[in-house]
């Protein structure tokens, strides 16, 4: 149950009828696993913490570098060289003392991911490489946990939700097969700060809607964002019957 000071903190949010006190209590009871505390993970974690998440599990094995500071707002110049998960945790605890923050300051493989995913109500993929995205997709599928995933490069972003609590939904690998996906990196091609902020915040929004039941979620849809031209498109995603990750589950 929320304390009176918490209710006062979230007063404006609870005034939204689709959210209400029931939605706020659902946030407090929920655990969000955020994989990556960089360009996407920082705004996602910041938004969830400010919105009253109960617990955040932060995973990142990288350290804060100078070139991170323009878009990864939870880090500071004073924390250069610090692990990103640990750095982000400092900022988040200062932002909202009612949120429990746990850090996993290392790179995680599928075996290490599995117990973390089991603890989470929603998983947010905020990483920057396709290998990790596919690993997270496989584990979330196996554990039947909803996954919010996003990516951005230059001024183009995309976001989708895969709710593995139902058997009819596609998975990330259906639309982005591992063998055909190009691993485009912001480190070589660049990315706009305003884009990473937007996409990370959208990930937090989808995660919050999943646990509160407010509104509709981007399940089986892909939202494409062209920030420079103000173009937002939504595409339907369909299951691949031959998908090596989820095809057998649907047919079985």
């Amino acid at each position: 149950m929320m304390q009176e000071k918490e209710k006062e903190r979230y007063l404006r949010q609870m005034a939204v009828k689709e959210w209400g006190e029931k939605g706020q209590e659902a946030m407090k009871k929920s655990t969000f696993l955020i994989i990556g505390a960089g360009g996407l993970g920082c705004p996602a974690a910041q938004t969830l913490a400010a919105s009253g998440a109960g617990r955040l599990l932060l995973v990142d094995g990288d350290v804060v570098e100078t070139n991170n500071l323009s878009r990864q707002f939870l880090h500071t110049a004073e924390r250069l060289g610090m692990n990103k998960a640990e750095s982000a945790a400092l900022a988040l605890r200062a932002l909202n003392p009612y949120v429990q923050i746990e850090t996993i300051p290392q790179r995680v493989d599928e075996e290490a991911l599995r117990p973390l995913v089991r603890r989470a109500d929603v998983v947010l993929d905020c990483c920057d490489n396709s290998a990790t995205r596919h690993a997270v997709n496989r584990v979330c599928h196996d554990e039947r946990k909803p996954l919010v995933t996003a990516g951005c490069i230059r001024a183009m972003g995309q976001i989708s939700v895969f709710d593995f609590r139902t058997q009819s939904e596609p998975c990330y690998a259906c639309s982005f097969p591992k063998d055909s996906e190009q691993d485009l990196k912001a480190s070589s091609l660049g990315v706009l700060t305003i884009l990473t902020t937007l996409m990370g915040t959208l990930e937090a929004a989808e995660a919050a809607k999943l646990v509160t039941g407010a509104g509709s979620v981007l399940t089986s849809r892909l939202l494409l964002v062209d920030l420079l031209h103000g173009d937002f498109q939504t595409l339907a995603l369909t299951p691949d019957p031959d998908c090596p990750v989820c095809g057998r589950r649907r047919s079985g």
Side-chain angles (χ1 to χ4, degrees), residues 141 167-169 239-243 245-252:
H141 169 265
Q167 292 193 11
S168 60
E169 304 296 338
D240 178 2
D242 298 319
C243 176
V245 176
C246 67
R248 286 174 294 179
R249 176 181 167 188
R250 288 192 300 273
S251 62

Side-chain angles (χ1 to χ4, degrees), residues 167-181:
Q167 292 193 11
S168 60
E169 304 296 338
C171 76
Y172 182 84
C174 289
S175 299
F176 305 97
K178 187 176 180 180
D179 293 338
S180 63
E181 185 181 19

Side-chain angles (χ1 to χ4, degrees), residues 170-238:
C171 76
Y172 182 84
C174 289
S175 299
F176 305 97
K178 187 176 180 180
D179 293 338
S180 63
E181 185 181 19
Q182 286 186 308
D183 199 4
L184 302 177
K185 289 185 175 292
S187 59
S188 57
L189 298 175
V191 68
L192 293 178
T193 294
I194 47 180
L195 179 65
T196 57
T197 303
L198 172 64
M199 301 310 296
T201 303
L202 286 175
E203 283 197 83
E206 294 301 308
K209 288 189 291 181
L210 279 164
V211 301
T212 62
S216 59
V217 183
L218 281 170
T219 310
S220 298
R221 292 181 290 160
L222 179 69
L223 174 63
L224 298 174
V225 177
D226 179 348
L227 196 62
L228 289 183
H229 298 93
D231 187 22
F232 292 71
Q233 298 182 49
T234 305
L235 307 178
L237 300 179
T238 57

Side-chain angles (χ1 to χ4, degrees), residues 50-244:
S51 298
R55 179 180 291 103
L56 299 181
L57 308 178
L58 304 179
V59 179
D60 203 308
D62 291 337
V63 299
V64 179
E65 300 177 356
T66 300
N67 67 78
N68 302 147
L69 300 179
S70 68
R71 66 193 181 282
Q72 301 177 21
F73 305 140
L74 297 181
H75 309 311
T76 66
E78 291 74 23
R79 297 201 289 272
L80 290 174
M82 181 182 289
N83 171 267
K84 285 186 178 181
E86 300 285 3
S87 171
L90 290 175
L92 295 169
R93 290 178 182 127
L95 173 67
N96 190 345
Y98 297 106
V99 181
Q100 298 180 47
I101 311 293
E102 295 183 33
T103 61
I104 300 88
Q106 62 190 51
R107 296 182 184 274
V108 291
D109 56 16
E110 285 191 44
E111 183 178 357
L113 268 173
R114 201 166 297 278
L116 295 172
V117 169
R118 287 173 183 161
R119 294 179 58 196
D121 294 290
V122 181
V123 178
L124 289 81
D125 162 27
C126 299
C127 70
D128 62 356
N129 66 89
S130 62
T132 302
R133 278 192 289 269
H134 281 281
V136 172
N137 176 70
R138 288 190 295 270
V139 175
C140 287
H141 169 265
D142 291 347
E143 301 298 334
R144 299 195 178 187
K145 292 299 179 77
L147 169 64
V148 182
T149 181
C152 48
I153 200 78
R154 300 189 183 99
M156 307 290 290
Q158 64 183 43
I159 180 173
S160 189
V161 176
F162 302 100
D163 192 346
F164 297 124
R165 294 173 296 186
T166 64
Q167 292 193 11
S168 60
E169 304 296 338
C171 76
Y172 182 84
C174 289
S175 299
F176 305 97
K178 187 176 180 180
D179 293 338
S180 63
E181 185 181 19
Q182 286 186 308
D183 199 4
L184 302 177
K185 289 185 175 292
S187 59
S188 57
L189 298 175
V191 68
L192 293 178
T193 294
I194 47 180
L195 179 65
T196 57
T197 303
L198 172 64
M199 301 310 296
T201 303
L202 286 175
E203 283 197 83
E206 294 301 308
K209 288 189 291 181
L210 279 164
V211 301
T212 62
S216 59
V217 183
L218 281 170
T219 310
S220 298
R221 292 181 290 160
L222 179 69
L223 174 63
L224 298 174
V225 177
D226 179 348
L227 196 62
L228 289 183
H229 298 93
D231 187 22
F232 292 71
Q233 298 182 49
T234 305
L235 307 178
L237 300 179
T238 57
D240 178 2
D242 298 319
C243 176

